[in-house]
Amino acid sequence: MKEPTIMDVARQAGVSVATVSRVLNGSTLVNASTQEKVMEVVRSMHYTPNAIGKQLRSQKTMTIAVVVPDISITYCVEIIKGIENTANPLHYKIIICDAQNKPEKEREFMTLLVSRTVDALILVTPSQTDAELATYADNGYTLGVIGRDTGHDAIPCALTDNVKLTRQVMTHLIGQGHTRIAFLSGFATAIDNYERLEGYMKGLQEARLPFMPELVDNGDFTEEGGYAAFMRLWERNTGLTAVFAANDEMALGVHKACGELNIPIPDRMAIVGVDNSRLTNYVRPQISSVEQPLQTMGVLLAGKLIDQMNANEQAGRRIFKIDSILVVKGSSLGRTEEGQG
Amino acid sequence: MKEPTIMDVARQAGVSVATVSRVLNGSTLVNASTQEKVMEVVRSMHYTPNAIGKQLRSQKTMTIAVVVPDISITYCVEIIKGIENTANPLHYKIIICDAQNKPEKEREFMTLLVSRTVDALILVTPSQTDAELATYADNGYTLGVIGRDTGHDAIPCALTDNVKLTRQVMTHLIGQGHTRIAFLSGFATAIDNYERLEGYMKGLQEARLPFMPELVDNGDFTEEGGYAAFMRLWERNTGLTAVFAANDEMALGVHKACGELNIPIPDRMAIVGVDNSRLTNYVRPQISSVEQPLQTMGVLLAGKLIDQMNANEQAGRRIFKIDSILVVKGSSLGRTEEGQG
DNA sequence: ATGAAAGCGCTAACAA
DNA sequence: TTGTTAGCGCTTTCAT
């Protein structure tokens, strides 16, 4: 089971390897009859060029690695789809790397870049520090980040405007008459937290509502975390009537907790999440959520990165900050008078 | 930004490239002091071996491609996780390929194998025919399939026992007193259909229930398809009291349809799906579903494939047929007397 | 224990 | 228009 090489084709066709290579790569400087003859042999031998040989010679793999924290999160999958939709038509292959929520795994994947297995690497909400990522960029590696801005000139990024997003939610909730609104954040390390907290506070400020630290808690971006956090909030007896969770998982946890505590939604408790994931539409009432244009983020960043590799110069925008939209559903709309009492 | 090569390291350390290569690959035939000296240089230069060069020389990529029909399906993601858990510890990299439900895309990914970009390829519920896949195996390529058996000696596979699975469901439903049970299949092309239909018929047979063709319909494995199929079934006025859907998506469609038609679940209509996906636990009542040990399937197949590559002989089992378990929930349990009337 | 050198499959610069 | 040939970075046989 030995693959035919370009040599075999050349021999069989009675031409040199250079000619075969030219035909294969669509060079115009080839006699039509020669071309025909070579293609004939290529077909009859079922010859397919060896990708490794090509890569070694051309110093290009035409491959981009996408490192996601967890392949089971819809958030990540949507981004991947966006990247694919841009990369595939441009003949770039995508290799998806699942870091399984382990920072050490994520770091391991960086060697794909260093070992030249891929031409570029996209990190989705990386766990590495800005300084770590800067090192790679400084050494000339092509990488981009989705979900935050490392601040490095050579690292493009796509992210949502968290402050705007949060204020949008706050405006909605305050408009519904809520004054005690809890904020459920994710990991303390995520930059999103800081920005969303900022938007939360700004929203309160504008409505001349006081900031109450006891209305802020952490749910670690998981359903269980959101559930536990809400239980803590509830026991503090702060008189809260609404919860803004930094993602849908936590919002689902709150939804569940309210169910168990017999707190009617939205009458006694309004809930808003982020991601507008499918699940939010299957629980009753459905959960209002902010929809981020994830595919778009993938499309824009991949496009930018490919441009960067081909043009060899950093032209155009480096930061793609994208607006999201709030999808209002039953969990935060239509409180009945009765319920409010 | 030029990477240091093994040559640079050799020069710097005052040894030959062969020695550097030996050190890097842990050969024992190297003087301890030489070894130390080389490693010192490797560290100081931040040298990382070029993967492409290595691959070309060794004729191995240590990479396995996993081609899934759709990366957004949890079914696929679970299998991927299983494969990763086996492959990564054995130093194999995984490249995930999303065929986006397009047969031509799936076929394109086969060139990864032919072009030697990967050492092996795993197909999850492929759209290609057995004959097509056989060609690759006959030409010595290493591939495996999850979800069906191609019947080819050199193509290992992992799959669930569909007949058993279906009969399990039928036994449960018949045990609950149902006699008119609809069967909702997926694409007509999927082999699963045939086997599940077989199990359905056997289940009826054993219980001495008649097979009614008008109780079988197709829902294309989608929620919308399941919804539409149920609507058709319902209009046929067959007096059905239970639906077995070949996957959870279709089961959710039936669930939705019942909601709109005001058919109480499980009192007037029992529902059972397959996959035991997360969503089945968020709707009310929760949907009974068959849980397939997907991760296990990935683990077993990947292990078999890697063995096959290393041992160069086909020892051991080729077909991994795995039992699934039925998780009974509200949608098919506890019909009240009243409801039955 | 170490080094020299061949060669994996390919492209492209240079020659003819 | 076509051919010859030098590498891309690495491992490994064969000498030493």
Side-chain angles (χ1 to χ4, degrees):
Chain A
M1 206 271 329
K2 194 75 200 62
E3 300 286 299
T5 72
I6 197 169
M7 262 286 284
D8 300 320
V9 176
R11 202 157 23 217
Q12 183 84 20
V15 298
S16 74
V17 291
T19 301
V20 177
S21 177
R22 285 193 193 100
V23 171
L24 256 25
N25 294 292
S27 166
T28 48
L29 336 157
V30 191
N31 196 312
S33 69
T34 316
Q35 157 135 343
E36 188 46 51
K37 185 173 56 184
V38 170
M39 285 313 293
E40 184 58 39
V41 175
V42 164
R43 271 189 295 269
S44 77
M45 297 182 95
H46 292 111
Y47 169 73
T48 305
N50 179 302
I52 312 291
K54 195 166 185 161
Q55 286 171 25
L56 181 59
R57 171 64 221 222
S58 65
Q59 300 288 67
K60 275 193 208 167
T61 62
M62 296 302 282
T63 306
I64 298 173
V66 183
V67 182
V68 299
D70 184 348
I71 185 87
S72 20
I73 305 176
T74 13
Y75 175 92
C76 296
V77 175
E78 285 303 304
I79 292 171
I80 290 170
K81 294 211 172 245
I83 295 172
E84 266 176 341
N85 290 341
T86 301
N88 288 345
L90 297 170
H91 305 293
Y92 275 87
K93 278 176 284 295
I94 293 300
I95 111 168
I96 302 166
C97 307
D98 180 8
Q100 305 183 25
N101 287 314
K102 297 184 190 126
E104 70 272 19
K105 277 232 155 207
E106 182 188 307
R107 218 166 284 123
E108 266 175 45
F109 285 125
M110 300 305 286
T111 59
L112 291 176
L113 207 47
V114 184
S115 71
R116 291 287 166 209
T117 304
V118 299
D119 297 339
L121 187 144
I122 296 176
L123 290 148
V124 177
T125 56
S127 58
Q128 290 165 95
T129 63
D130 288 352
E132 284 178 281
L133 297 179
T135 314
Y136 291 98
D138 288 339
N139 282 77
Y141 296 105
T142 307
L143 72 163
V145 173
I146 290 184
R148 88 167 196 247
D149 177 18
T150 64
H152 192 288
D153 270 355
I155 307 180
C157 59
L159 31 80
T160 42
D161 190 332
N162 276 309
V163 178
K164 218 169 184 174
L165 173 162
T166 311
R167 288 177 67 188
Q168 208 176 340
V169 173
M170 292 302 283
T171 305
H172 164 63
L173 288 174
I174 292 169
Q176 294 280 311
H178 297 282
T179 55
R180 307 247 165 139
I181 304 168
F183 176 66
L184 234 57
S185 66
F187 312 122
T189 52
I191 180 82
D192 287 356
N193 274 336
Y194 177 75
E195 292 181 1
R196 290 185 189 166
L197 191 58
E198 189 185 330
Y200 170 73
M201 310 224 303
K202 278 205 182 139
L204 292 173
Q205 218 165 44
E206 275 171 21
R208 304 249 166 72
L209 292 172
F211 169 65
M212 301 165 64
E214 65 271 32
L215 281 177
V216 176
D217 210 317
N218 181 320
D220 276 345
F221 283 140
T222 66
E223 181 177 3
E224 298 70 32
Y227 177 90
F230 182 80
M231 289 302 189
R232 289 194 295 273
L233 282 168
W234 188 246
E235 282 177 8
R236 276 180 214 140
N237 256 316
T238 48
L240 83 166
T241 61
V243 177
F244 171 38
N247 77 349
D248 285 341
E249 291 295 321
M250 295 192 289
L252 284 163
V254 174
H255 193 280
K256 186 178 170 203
C258 288
E260 291 183 9
L261 296 171
N262 276 317
I263 304 170
I265 303 169
D267 292 350
R268 288 296 184 91
M269 191 63 62
I271 305 175
V272 178
V274 175
D275 283 349
N276 200 26
S277 63
R278 196 171 166 202
L279 270 170
T280 59
N281 298 322
Y282 286 78
V283 293
R284 293 298 122 113
Q286 297 180 323
I287 301 176
S288 301
S289 190
V290 180
E291 181 163 337
Q292 302 174 265
L294 297 166
Q295 287 219 22
T296 309
M297 289 167 66
V299 166
L300 291 173
L301 188 65
K304 169 71 186 173
L305 232 37
I306 291 173
D307 273 0
Q308 195 169 311
M309 289 191 286
N310 296 337
N312 234 335
E313 52 168 330
Q314 343 278 58
R317 200 144 62 121
R318 181 182 68 81
I319 304 174
F320 296 91
K321 200 165 224 178
I322 302 167
D323 286 346
S324 358
I325 51 165
L326 171 62
V327 181
V328 176
K329 289 173 251 177
S331 74
S332 71
L333 197 65
R335 271 205 294 180
T336 60
E337 276 309 310
E338 186 192 2
Q340 288 190 57
Chain B
M1 208 275 325
K2 193 79 199 58
E3 301 284 299
T5 72
I6 198 169
M7 263 286 285
D8 300 320
V9 176
R11 203 158 20 218
Q12 183 83 18
V15 297
S16 73
V17 292
T19 302
V20 177
S21 177
R22 288 193 190 98
V23 171
L24 256 24
N25 294 292
S27 166
T28 49
L29 336 156
V30 190
N31 196 311
S33 68
T34 315
Q35 159 136 340
E36 188 48 50
K37 188 172 55 185
V38 170
M39 284 313 293
E40 184 59 38
V41 175
V42 164
R43 271 189 295 270
S44 77
M45 295 181 96
H46 291 111
Y47 169 74
T48 304
N50 179 301
I52 312 290
K54 197 167 185 162
Q55 287 172 24
L56 181 59
R57 172 62 221 223
S58 64
Q59 300 288 70
K60 276 191 207 169
T61 62
M62 296 301 283
T63 305
I64 299 173
V66 183
V67 182
V68 298
D70 184 348
I71 185 84
S72 20
I73 304 176
T74 14
Y75 175 92
C76 296
V77 174
E78 285 304 304
I79 292 172
I80 290 171
K81 294 211 173 246
I83 296 172
E84 266 177 340
N85 290 341
T86 300
N88 289 344
L90 297 171
H91 305 293
Y92 276 86
K93 279 177 282 294
I94 293 300
I95 112 168
I96 303 166
C97 306
D98 180 9
Q100 304 182 31
N101 288 315
K102 298 184 189 128
E104 70 272 20
K105 277 231 156 209
E106 181 187 307
R107 218 166 283 124
E108 267 175 44
F109 285 125
M110 300 305 285
T111 58
L112 290 176
L113 205 49
V114 184
S115 71
R116 290 289 167 208
T117 305
V118 300
D119 296 339
L121 187 144
I122 296 176
L123 290 149
V124 177
T125 56
S127 58
Q128 289 164 94
T129 63
D130 287 352
E132 284 179 281
L133 297 179
T135 315
Y136 291 98
D138 288 339
N139 283 74
Y141 297 106
T142 307
L143 73 163
V145 172
I146 290 185
R148 89 166 196 247
D149 177 17
T150 63
H152 192 287
D153 269 353
I155 306 180
C157 59
L159 32 79
T160 42
D161 190 331
N162 276 310
V163 179
K164 219 169 184 176
L165 173 161
T166 310
R167 288 177 65 188
Q168 209 175 339
V169 173
M170 293 301 284
T171 305
H172 163 65
L173 288 174
I174 292 169
Q176 293 281 311
H178 297 280
T179 55
R180 307 248 164 140
I181 304 168
F183 176 66
L184 234 57
S185 66
F187 312 122
T189 53
I191 179 83
D192 288 356
N193 274 335
Y194 177 74
E195 293 181 2
R196 291 186 187 163
L197 191 57
E198 188 185 331
Y200 169 74
M201 311 224 302
K202 279 205 180 137
L204 291 174
Q205 218 164 45
E206 274 171 23
R208 305 248 166 70
L209 292 172
F211 168 66
M212 302 164 64
E214 64 271 34
L215 281 177
V216 176
D217 209 317
N218 182 323
D220 275 345
F221 284 139
T222 66
E223 182 177 1
E224 297 71 33
Y227 177 91
F230 182 79
M231 289 301 190
R232 287 194 297 271
L233 283 168
W234 188 246
E235 283 177 7
R236 275 180 217 142
N237 257 317
T238 48
L240 82 166
T241 62
V243 177
F244 172 38
N247 78 348
D248 284 342
E249 291 295 322
M250 294 191 289
L252 283 164
V254 175
H255 193 280
K256 187 180 168 201
C258 287
E260 290 183 11
L261 297 171
N262 276 318
I263 305 171
I265 305 168
D267 292 352
R268 290 294 184 91
M269 191 62 61
I271 306 175
V272 177
V274 176
D275 283 349
N276 199 24
S277 65
R278 198 174 163 200
L279 271 169
T280 59
N281 298 322
Y282 285 79
V283 293
R284 292 300 122 118
Q286 297 179 322
I287 301 176
S288 301
S289 191
V290 180
E291 182 164 336
Q292 303 174 265
L294 298 166
Q295 288 219 21
T296 309
M297 291 168 63
V299 166
L300 292 174
L301 188 65
K304 169 70 186 172
L305 233 37
I306 292 173
D307 273 0
Q308 195 170 313
M309 288 191 284
N310 296 336
N312 234 336
E313 53 168 330
Q314 344 278 54
R317 197 147 64 122
R318 181 183 69 81
I319 303 174
F320 297 91
K321 200 165 223 178
I322 302 166
D323 285 347
S324 0
I325 51 166
L326 171 63
V327 182
V328 175
K329 289 175 253 177
S331 73
S332 69
L333 198 64
R335 270 206 295 180
T336 61
E337 278 307 313
E338 186 193 357
Q340 288 190 58

